[in-house]
Amino acid sequence: MAKNALSFVCQNCGAAYNRWQGKCESCGEWNTLAEEDATGSVPVSIRSKRKGRTFALESLSGKTQDAPRLSSGMTELDRVTGGGFVRGSVLLVGGDPGIGKSTLLTQATSLMARAGHRIVYISGEEAIAQVRLRAERLGLSDAPVQLAAETSVEDIVSTLSEGAVPRLIVIDSIQTMWTDTVESAPGTVTQVRASAQALIRFAKKTGAAIILVGHVTKDGQIAGPRVVEHMVDAVMSFEGEGSQQFRILRAVKNRFGPTDEIGVFEMTGLGLREVTNPSELFLSERDLGTPGTAVFAGIEGTRPLLVELQALVAPTSLGTPRRAVVGWDPSRLSMVLAVLEAHCGVKLSGHDVYLNVAGGLRIHEPAADLAAAAALVSSLVNAQLPTDAVYFGEISLSGVVRPVAQTPARLKEAAKLGFHRAVLPESARGDAGGDAGLSLNAVNSLTTLVAEIAARGSRRGEQSAPAEKNATPARFRRGEG
């Protein structure tokens, strides 16, 4: 009897090795290699030596039709998916435990089922009674959603193949599914990959849309092999802080719509509520008149979004000052601090620096550099920034403020929320597009902005001194402390 061939597969990235080792050379993680049967990891249909069939080839020219979409009944969810669910598409939704993934999908499936579509919700983690309790709490127990608690992929495919094809199928979660074609435990890289492949094959064959719920690692990445993210048509991340009521659904990958699009929700006692004007929600708790706060006019996907950046600069008692940031890239904060010290003479090497994006939002675009720099200098010199001003612009390593995209959309959103001034790059003045009635303060270099802020305040415990026009104040220059 032939001995089964064994391999050691990394449970983080899916790399395979012929022997065990402590560290995965592919992803760098420790103690992630698990022993799996290599012979059972290949489906029987693939191992059989059948002759391939021929198929027809087509040219690039020809009639194209827009993919038919199925609306979820939730405007924010449709925005992220690109207008609704495409027939035969497979979406992967990831998020931290307890963030509200099941609540979101329960609400969406109930609205679609009430519209007359056949919707199937298959839970591999919860019993049917638990799903019913959630639906009852949300006031959706009367929705004709078909429920099941099953983990066998073969049984799921066989059941769904009978009768009318469902319009939408929710698998919660893919890590609990298992298939007979491989010999490994549920949740392993091999099982997740094989189960996802079988469900994707069913979706493409029948035209049913499938949503796969995925677990995330401690780093916030979707657990399992990265190849699953390449296999599906869209990857969405459900983000938010447990202490905050805001939830953000972000499209990381989308073959049928824009990427980096976001949908904003608010967690309430009756489930998730759609937020049609997220800028007003993120700015509703502003503490006006406090130094170290600046409003950033950003763009998330196709939506302009205004959010408050909060900074605190305080003298440190440690040999190495703290640099803490929440909701922004720490590397960009280090770069902004270096530019402030190298080109503007702002001495921050003896201060702890804390930066926070209010509301639990995560900012990825470099246009927030100017707002972050304004908040940092404002906190250092104890100067209040104008409460009716917004900031946006990218800072280069030379201290020059570079233009950013979609300037008219940022200004229009700021004017709609009652702002009257905007601090933006000098080269972006021509792209303002009528500037939406705002008073524009165009700056060419970061030194100019630092001088304007320093003229309105003084360091904590110091008296203010007159600042030179369009130059760095004398107290910020090197050697003068």
Side-chain angles (χ1 to χ4, degrees):
M1 182 175 181
K3 183 179 180 180
N4 291 340
L6 298 177
S7 64
F8 296 86
V9 181
C10 176
Q11 303 303 303
N12 183 59
C13 66
Y17 302 89
N18 56 4
R19 60 182 179 85
W20 186 90
Q21 56 191 40
K23 180 180 180 181
C24 175
E25 298 176 355
S26 178
C27 64
E29 294 292 329
W30 288 86
N31 299 325
T32 57
L33 268 64
E35 181 178 319
E36 297 184 9
D37 187 0
T39 59
S41 61
V42 181
V44 177
S45 60
I46 298 179
R47 294 200 303 264
S48 62
K49 297 181 180 180
R50 66 176 181 84
K51 184 178 179 180
R53 62 178 180 85
T54 60
F55 54 89
L57 301 176
E58 299 184 6
S59 62
L60 290 175
S61 60
K63 294 183 179 180
T64 58
Q65 297 179 352
D66 295 335
R69 294 181 180 271
L70 175 64
S71 176
S72 65
M74 304 180 72
T75 305
E76 293 297 303
L77 181 57
D78 288 343
R79 174 193 293 272
V80 179
T81 57
F85 302 111
V86 178
R87 292 178 57 88
S89 64
V90 180
L91 295 83
L92 178 62
V93 179
D96 294 331
I99 202 67
K101 301 185 298 296
S102 300
T103 301
L104 174 66
L105 296 178
T106 300
Q107 292 182 228
T109 53
S110 299
L111 292 175
M112 297 169 67
R114 286 176 175 176
H117 304 290
R118 184 192 177 192
I119 309 297
V120 178
Y121 192 106
I122 297 178
S123 176
E125 299 179 345
E126 299 176 311
I128 295 179
Q130 293 177 281
V131 180
R132 287 174 175 170
L133 284 175
R134 182 188 301 112
E136 183 179 355
R137 186 180 72 251
L138 299 176
L140 303 172
S141 57
D142 60 334
V145 178
Q146 297 179 332
L147 302 177
E150 185 58 54
T151 57
S152 173
V153 174
E154 283 75 19
D155 295 345
I156 294 173
V157 172
S158 177
T159 302
L160 297 179
S161 300
E162 298 180 355
V165 178
R167 295 298 304 273
L168 180 67
I169 304 167
V170 176
I171 305 294
D172 188 6
S173 65
I174 188 60
Q175 274 79 14
T176 61
M177 298 293 118
W178 63 277
T179 174
D180 293 334
T181 58
V182 296
E183 298 179 2
S184 56
T188 59
V189 169
T190 306
Q191 278 286 2
V192 171
R193 182 173 56 240
S195 300
Q197 185 178 15
L199 293 172
I200 292 173
R201 191 183 307 114
F202 174 79
K204 303 302 180 184
K205 180 180 178 181
T206 61
I210 297 181
I211 298 179
L212 306 177
V213 179
H215 296 166
V216 296
T217 62
K218 60 182 180 180
D219 298 329
Q221 302 294 328
I222 297 179
R226 299 287 299 206
V227 68
V228 174
E229 298 185 29
H230 297 287
M231 294 164 58
V232 299
D233 298 305
V235 179
M236 294 182 290
S237 176
F238 205 39
E239 305 171 356
E241 299 291 338
S243 58
Q244 299 282 352
Q245 70 269 31
F246 310 125
R247 299 292 186 269
I248 297 174
L249 183 65
R250 187 185 303 272
V252 181
K253 168 191 174 183
N254 194 350
R255 290 174 179 166
F256 304 106
T259 57
D260 291 332
E261 189 68 84
I262 68 167
V264 184
F265 301 86
E266 182 181 8
M267 180 63 76
T268 65
L270 297 177
L272 291 167
R273 182 181 68 86
E274 298 181 73
V275 179
T276 57
N277 191 353
S279 298
E280 186 175 359
L281 182 63
F282 285 124
L283 298 177
S284 60
E285 302 295 334
R286 287 184 64 197
D287 188 7
L288 301 178
T290 302
T293 60
V295 177
F296 165 58
I299 294 289
E300 289 289 343
T302 59
R303 162 185 282 172
L305 191 66
L306 269 61
V307 66
E308 184 183 38
L309 268 64
Q310 304 169 347
L312 176 61
V313 179
T316 183
S317 59
L318 304 175
T320 303
R322 290 190 180 96
R323 300 288 186 261
V325 56
V326 177
W328 201 39
D329 186 4
S331 300
R332 295 210 69 87
L333 175 62
S334 301
M335 188 202 73
V336 171
L337 295 177
V339 173
L340 285 172
E341 185 159 350
H343 297 286
C344 304
V346 181
K347 305 293 290 185
L348 294 171
S349 57
H351 294 76
D352 292 332
V353 176
Y354 303 90
L355 186 69
N356 175 54
V357 179
L361 182 68
R362 294 184 180 274
I363 299 176
H364 300 282
E365 61 171 334
D369 292 350
L370 197 64
L376 292 169
V377 177
S378 169
S379 177
L380 177 66
V381 302
N382 198 28
Q384 175 187 347
L385 296 177
T387 57
D388 60 345
V390 296
Y391 299 79
F392 60 92
E394 180 183 355
I395 298 175
S396 65
L397 293 178
S398 61
V400 177
V401 182
R402 296 170 54 86
V404 295
Q406 304 189 45
T407 297
R410 302 173 195 264
L411 297 178
K412 184 178 180 181
E413 180 72 10
K416 185 174 67 174
L417 294 178
F419 290 86
H420 300 93
R421 287 183 278 184
V423 181
L424 71 167
E426 175 70 36
S427 54
R429 183 192 290 271
D431 300 333
D435 63 44
L438 297 179
S439 175
L440 303 183
N441 180 14
V443 294
N444 186 44
S445 65
L446 186 58
T447 304
T448 305
L449 180 62
V450 171
E452 294 176 357
I453 298 175
R456 293 192 294 265
S458 62
R459 291 194 184 190
R460 303 181 190 277
E462 295 183 3
Q463 296 296 326
S464 61
E468 304 173 21
K469 186 177 181 180
N470 295 334
T472 304
R475 63 177 176 273
F476 282 162
R477 295 175 184 158
R478 286 195 182 89
E480 300 185 25

